[in-house]
Amino acid sequence: MTRRQRVGREPDTLMERLSRETFWGPFSFFGLAVAAAGFAIDRLHKWWMLDIYEIAARGRVEVTPFFDLVMAWNKGVSYGLFEAQTALGVLILVSFALAVVFGLGLWLARAEHRGVALAIGLIVGGALGNVADRLAYGAVADFFSFHAFGFYWYIFNVADIWIVLGVMLILLDSIWPQLFGLGETGKKDGNAGDRAA
């Protein structure tokens, strides 16, 4: 913004600047929309598996020679680590997940292109999907079981798929920064704006 554009405008307060710069960015809405969609898809799938398909009553359902549908309740985090056997344990895991989501929200406000916003939105949607399970059931409902040659991979759900996809996108962006290109607030645009001012 030039000096001429600032004339006649009330200066931003410290809280206004902090709120704008910390909690909301150019791709925050997009990222939150992705998170909401991911959360909704996960909740709908779990509702269908638990209440309509009734996977618990069916037991193990073989879909292919290497993929089964099962019913597993995960009281811990990934791979069943840090199992929460009490209400306090569940509260600790939920609090930790919400703290991570809050941190991701701050990161989303600083996202410079849609690729990172998409990744963060996927992780947030998946994390909140599993948080909803812990609050409703005290554990996370998992259904997908892949196996081969006697080896069984860990059982997971749709929310876990979103989280893994989000992490993979972030890793790709860190390894190959130009993969997603620069967004509206990217460095190229920002540098051009600095020279114009």
Side-chain angles (χ1 to χ4, degrees), residues 54-89:
E54 296 184 336
I55 183 62
R58 294 172 183 263
R60 182 176 295 273
V61 178
E62 182 177 333
V63 180
T64 71
F66 56 86
F67 173 60
D68 300 331
L69 293 176
V70 300
M71 178 70 258
W73 292 102
N74 182 6
K75 294 184 178 181
V77 293
S78 296
Y79 301 98
L81 297 174
F82 309 112
E83 286 196 359
Q85 301 292 346
T86 65
L88 177 60

